[in-house]
């Protein structure tokens, strides 16, 4: 059953890095011009403070939030940054998995 569910997951979720102004950034997925998934952070002194994660109802239950966090973590790794969890999704993901230990602030 889980194999069938995985086939419905957007394999290549089209994520765009967006500068929101000042020190704020986001990875966003858009559908018909509307943001349907997003992870936001502010960046200061080598720390990405993860402030918000949003996934539209139409995409929930498909692992989209994890894909957003994985992309942000990859960004942190590439730039040599650390991530501070403030957003409840990121706090929970950091608590549940050692996968992000290398980027935790």
């Amino acid at each position: 059953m889980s194999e069938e569910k995985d086939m419905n997951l957007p394999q290549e979720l089209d994520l765009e890095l967006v500068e929101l102004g000042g020190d704020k950034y986001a990875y966003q997925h858009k559908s018909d011009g509307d943001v349907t998934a997003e992870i936001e952070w502010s960046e200061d002194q080598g720390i990405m403070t993860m402030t918000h994660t949003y996934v539209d109802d139409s995409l929930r239950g498909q692992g989209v939030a994890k894909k957003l966090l994985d992309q942000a973590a990859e960004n942190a790794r590439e730039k040599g940054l650390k991530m501070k969890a403030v957003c409840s999704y990121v706090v929970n993901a950091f608590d549940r998995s050692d996968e992000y230990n290398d980027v935790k602030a």
Side-chain angles (χ1 to χ4, degrees):
M1 252 329 169
S2 66
E3 191 173 19
E4 186 175 317
K5 182 178 180 181
D6 290 346
M7 292 181 68
N8 295 328
L9 178 64
Q11 293 298 320
E12 291 298 322
L13 191 65
D14 184 25
L15 298 176
E16 178 184 2
L17 178 61
V18 178
E19 292 184 30
L20 300 175
D23 64 351
K24 297 182 189 294
Y25 302 88
Y27 278 109
Q28 296 178 338
H29 173 72
K30 293 182 181 179
S31 179
D32 297 325
D34 295 324
V35 175
T36 54
E38 175 178 65
I39 190 164
E40 294 180 14
W41 69 90
S42 60
E43 204 171 298
D44 186 38
Q45 298 181 3
I47 304 289
M48 293 170 64
T49 301
M50 309 308 294
T51 56
H52 178 70
T53 304
Y54 165 75
V55 177
D56 186 78
D57 288 343
S58 66
L59 294 174
R60 290 200 180 156
Q62 301 179 57
V64 172
K66 182 174 184 335
K67 284 187 175 278
L68 288 165
L69 179 54
D70 288 349
Q71 184 65 49
E74 185 59 31
N75 179 64
R77 290 178 183 111
E78 289 174 3
K79 294 183 174 180
L81 303 172
K82 295 293 183 181
M83 299 172 75
K84 178 181 176 184
V86 173
C87 159
S88 60
Y89 176 79
V90 179
V91 168
N92 288 332
F94 278 13
D95 287 346
R96 285 190 313 258
S97 174
D98 293 338
E99 181 179 353
Y100 307 103
N101 284 353
D102 63 318
V103 293
K104 286 182 187 178

